[in-house]
Amino acid sequence: MAQAQSQTKHGDLEEEESPTSTLPRREGWWRPFVLFHGYWFTPQALESVKIVQAQFQPRVDDIILATYPKCGTTWLKALAFTVANRSRHAVTDDSHPLLRRHPQDLVPSLELPHRHLHPVAELEVLPSPRLLGTHLSFTLLPAGMSTLGCRIVYLCRESKDVFVSTWHYMNKIQKDFNIELDRAFEFFSEGFSIFGPIWEHNLGYWKQSMIESDKVLLLKYDEMMTDPIKHVKMLASFLSVPFTAEEESAGVVKEVVRLCSFENLKSQPANSSGVSDRIGGLPMENSSFFRTAKVGDWRNHLTEEMATKLDCITEEKLKGSGLTF
């Protein structure tokens, strides 16, 4: 990973000290976004990214769960936590952490909540091996990760469903903010979305997974939904905690899938009620992370013309890469 990532802009990140005000800026979402090394952030999120870049100390056994927003982040966190910790927390235990706590709280994120409000030191006290989430592109990950060879699990999703989920979520961020579907669609199609463009985000991890498949595991949301047992076993092997023959015969893999299922997680009080601020100054209902999780939900929102447009953009952006949805 070190050789491949040395060709990215990590060096530029260290040298660049330009204030946010000098970066390309665009309005339209709940806050103005700024463009940093090809990706869109709120100024607050970018400040957090820069703090992580400067202060986060990777460890060789860190496991990073990376996603573009609204691609199954909460599900991936639940699955990875359950698989990695099943020796301490039996999957069938009535007091399993997933039955009491939100998956987003069991696997903390690198850049969220914003690190100028919640210092990076909070991550340093976590015991190894750490499970950490991020929405950062591959090129914006802390440089030390490439040197140490930290393992990365990247979950991606078909862009039409990502857009619909993004649109619903963005209209929950602030009570005084609402964006029409058509306007949000144009923004998303132009690559103007938080942590986006989505296609460059996907490609960065896809290309690295082709170079170092032992360090970067790329999963596709639609395929996981179709065959979760197969992918949970794949995830366990990648995390170096494969299921034993005894576990498989005892139905442990199926229990992991059941415990982490959308229906089960959504029904838990920690996920269905209450309000938490996991961003920094943007408290949201815990249920905001659980909408439908359905593959193909875009059909209930997009016209045929909109779907075709986004399909064509996706095909053009990913052309020649080998990545398809």
Side-chain angles (χ1 to χ4, degrees):
M1 186 183 297
Q3 180 179 358
Q5 199 167 25
S6 66
Q7 298 173 6
T8 69
K9 298 181 179 179
H10 284 309
D12 297 339
L13 293 176
E14 294 174 358
E15 296 171 4
E16 179 169 322
E17 297 295 336
S18 301
T20 300
S21 60
T22 67
L23 297 173
R25 185 182 182 93
R26 186 174 176 184
E27 299 189 4
W29 292 105
W30 77 99
R31 286 179 180 169
F33 287 3
V34 292
L35 187 66
F36 182 69
H37 289 285
Y39 294 91
W40 291 101
F41 302 90
T42 63
Q44 296 81 3
L46 179 53
E47 182 180 354
S48 182
V49 170
K50 290 188 173 184
I51 291 173
V52 171
Q53 284 282 345
Q55 299 179 13
F56 179 73
Q57 298 295 319
R59 301 174 193 166
V60 67
D61 56 358
D62 282 343
I63 298 170
I64 308 301
L65 308 179
T67 56
Y68 182 82
K70 312 315 299 175
C71 287
T73 306
T74 304
W75 188 31
L76 179 60
K77 286 187 173 185
L79 287 170
F81 177 87
T82 302
V83 168
N85 291 283
R86 67 185 189 277
S87 63
R88 293 193 298 128
H89 303 294
V91 180
T92 55
D93 192 337
D94 290 338
S95 62
H96 193 281
L98 273 180
L99 302 179
R100 297 178 286 106
R101 298 181 62 189
H102 200 290
Q104 293 282 350
D105 299 331
L106 292 173
V107 180
S109 295
L110 287 176
E111 71 279 3
L112 296 173
H114 293 150
R115 292 303 163 191
H116 51 282
L117 301 175
H118 298 263
V120 172
E122 293 181 356
L123 303 177
E124 301 304 326
V125 299
L126 298 175
S128 294
R130 295 181 296 188
L131 268 179
L132 301 168
T134 188
H135 288 317
L136 293 178
S137 68
F138 182 76
T139 56
L140 292 178
L141 292 176
M145 289 184 179
S146 66
T147 305
L148 293 174
C150 303
R151 282 172 293 170
I152 300 170
V153 180
Y154 184 71
L155 178 60
C156 53
R157 190 180 186 185
E158 196 276 328
S159 61
K160 296 190 296 297
D161 275 338
V162 175
F163 162 68
V164 169
S165 186
T166 297
W167 174 63
H168 278 286
Y169 185 80
M170 292 305 176
N171 280 326
K172 297 177 182 178
I173 285 185
Q174 288 186 177
K175 292 182 178 179
D176 59 351
F177 174 78
N178 183 272
I179 185 168
E180 297 295 329
L181 179 71
D182 289 350
R183 183 171 172 79
F185 180 80
E186 289 306 313
F187 285 165
F188 189 89
S189 299
E190 295 166 1
F192 176 48
S193 56
I194 192 69
F195 291 98
I198 184 174
W199 305 284
E200 284 74 8
H201 202 285
N202 292 166
L203 283 172
Y205 285 99
W206 165 255
K207 291 176 181 178
Q208 197 59 34
S209 73
M210 293 295 97
I211 296 170
E212 289 190 306
S213 58
D214 60 326
K215 297 298 182 184
V216 181
L217 173 65
L218 186 138
L219 302 172
K220 296 180 180 179
Y221 184 90
D222 295 22
E223 294 178 355
M224 286 185 66
M225 290 290 285
T226 300
D227 193 347
I229 289 179
K230 170 186 174 181
H231 288 83
V232 167
K233 291 166 67 174
M234 188 186 306
L235 177 63
S237 295
F238 183 77
L239 299 182
S240 299
V241 285
F243 291 98
T244 64
E246 291 76 14
E247 284 181 309
E248 291 196 38
S249 62
V252 174
V253 184
K254 292 181 180 179
E255 281 300 314
V256 170
V257 172
R258 182 202 61 78
L259 176 64
C260 299
S261 68
F262 176 81
E263 293 76 17
N264 186 53
L265 292 178
K266 186 176 183 178
S267 69
Q268 302 305 320
N271 304 326
S272 61
S273 61
V275 175
S276 299
D277 184 1
R278 298 183 177 89
I279 298 176
L282 286 174
M284 298 182 66
E285 294 182 1
N286 290 323
S287 60
S288 299
F289 294 86
F290 298 90
R291 194 176 64 86
T292 67
K294 293 180 179 179
V295 172
D297 183 53
W298 61 266
R299 294 183 177 87
N300 298 317
H301 299 82
L302 304 184
T303 65
E304 184 177 341
E305 180 182 2
M306 295 167 79
T308 299
K309 177 178 179 178
L310 201 48
D311 282 343
C312 289
I313 294 173
T314 299
E315 182 179 356
E316 178 63 28
K317 294 288 187 180
L318 303 183
K319 182 188 299 183
S321 69
L323 176 61
T324 58
F325 289 95

